Amino acid sequence: MAFTGKVAFITGGGSGMGRLAARRLAEAGVSVAAIDVNEEGLRETAGDDGRIRTWGLDVTDPRAVESVVREAESELGPIDRVLNAAAIMPTGLLMDQDPGLVNRIMDINYGGTVNVTMATLPGMLERGRGDFVNFASIAGWVPTMHFGAYDASKFAVVAFTEVLAHENRNRGVRFACVCPPPVATPLLDQAKSNPKILELIPPIKPEKVLDAIESHLEKGKLMVFPDAGARATVLLRRFLPGLTWWNVHRVEKI
Ligand SMILES: NC(=O)c1ccc[n+]([C@@H]2O[C@H](COP(=O)([O-])OP(=O)(O)OC[C@H]3O[C@@H](n4cnc5c(N)ncnc54)[C@H](O)[C@@H]3O)[C@@H](O)[C@H]2O)c1
């Protein structure tokens, strides 16, 4: 593991990659603050591991985020790794989705990332050390039908994290923006509108994503594409967007 710090702050710690990251870090002796709205999921994450402390928290509430960060730091010590993994992914064609839901996706996936950044990063920059990891997605590079609201939120996370990393380079904090293809976690169960594209891409294992984060942090690489398929898809979209859309129309039959 590329991490030598003592305290990690993980949102989305009640499930999927946030849970796995919390357990891995705790096993490595790190004190973990696991954050989630899903308190039952948090209990399962912590199990009887005393190194994982949990806080039920909605990341869209900036005041609550600040107060949990303060509490976590006073109980565990200064945070030296942040993993922003909390997100939702209800799918649907944009005109079928309630505007409240479209905005909620942005509030959690992007707004939550912003809130946690503002509450944690200043301290890390002041101390001049730590790892700052934001979960975007390949959806933050390649927009597809049924994922419009999610895509917009992840495009926002990519832009935010890229600028953040450049504005704060050479200040001792390492940044990573994680852009996986589909990963086998409960998040995929939220794709209830049945996007056909998901049937064509077998999900990768969450372990592969977490390993890629470590290796990218070690190499000082900002954008984490955990496999060659994700990288190739992004390149195809960049240089041949028409072909990418042709394929999406063909698959979704729209
Ligand atoms: N699973 C995938 O296919 C995939 C692919 C690319 C990127 N990602 C990204 O990776 C990250 C981790 O996803 P995952 O697959 O582990 O998902 P997951 O659904 O297993 O976990 C996400 C967690 O976020 C929590 N959460 C949702 N709203 C919240 C809120 N308002 N406040 C606090 N917590 C909240 C959920 O309760 C859940 O426990 C996400 O940012 C996701 O967008 C996932």
Side-chain angles (χ1 to χ4, degrees), residues 12 14-18 36-38 57-60 84-88 104 108 135-137 150 154 180-183 185-188 190:
S15 177
M17 289 184 270
D36 207 295
V37 272
N38 177 357
L57 170 73
D58 184 334
V59 291
T60 62
N84 272 310
I88 59 170
R104 178 90 183 137
I108 295 175
F135 276 77
S137 168
Y150 182 76
K154 294 298 185 177
V183 185
T185 74
L187 189 84
L188 293 180
Q190 295 179 36

Side-chain angles (χ1 to χ4, degrees), residues 73-245:
E73 290 205 311
S74 79
E75 283 186 29
L76 307 177
I79 292 164
D80 36 29
R81 176 174 280 194
V82 171
L83 248 107
N84 272 310
I88 59 170
M89 192 188 72
T91 59
L93 301 179
L94 283 169
M95 288 301 105
D96 295 344
Q97 279 187 320
D98 183 87
L101 179 62
V102 174
N103 284 318
R104 178 90 183 137
I105 294 169
M106 187 59 93
D107 284 350
I108 295 175
N109 299 4
Y110 173 62
T113 301
V114 172
N115 291 339
V116 173
T117 303
M118 299 311 184
T120 54
L121 187 58
M124 292 168 72
L125 291 171
E126 215 168 275
R127 292 185 288 278
R129 62 168 197 275
D131 297 334
F132 204 88
V133 181
N134 284 344
F135 276 77
S137 168
I138 194 170
W141 296 85
V142 185
T144 52
M145 291 169 206
H146 291 268
F147 291 90
Y150 182 76
D151 291 336
S153 73
K154 294 298 185 177
F155 267 70
V157 172
V158 169
F160 178 76
T161 311
E162 187 168 345
V163 175
L164 196 65
H166 282 276
E167 286 180 349
N168 296 291
R169 69 185 188 147
N170 303 328
R171 295 188 65 187
V173 175
R174 303 185 297 184
F175 291 87
C177 181
V178 192
C179 306
V183 185
T185 74
L187 189 84
L188 293 180
D189 300 339
Q190 295 179 36
K192 296 211 190 305
S193 66
N194 195 24
K196 307 266 181 312
I197 204 101
L198 277 185
E199 291 164 22
L200 298 183
I201 314 170
I204 65 171
K205 289 191 173 154
E207 287 81 0
K208 186 164 183 162
V209 180
L210 297 192
D211 290 346
I213 294 171
E214 300 304 328
S215 66
H216 281 65
L217 282 170
E218 263 169 16
K219 289 180 201 145
K221 281 189 172 175
L222 174 62
M223 293 298 165
V224 181
F225 296 107
D227 72 351
R231 221 169 294 121
T233 308
V234 168
L235 286 177
L236 189 70
R237 150 75 187 174
R238 178 187 278 177
F239 294 111
L240 295 168
L243 182 62
T244 306
W245 273 116

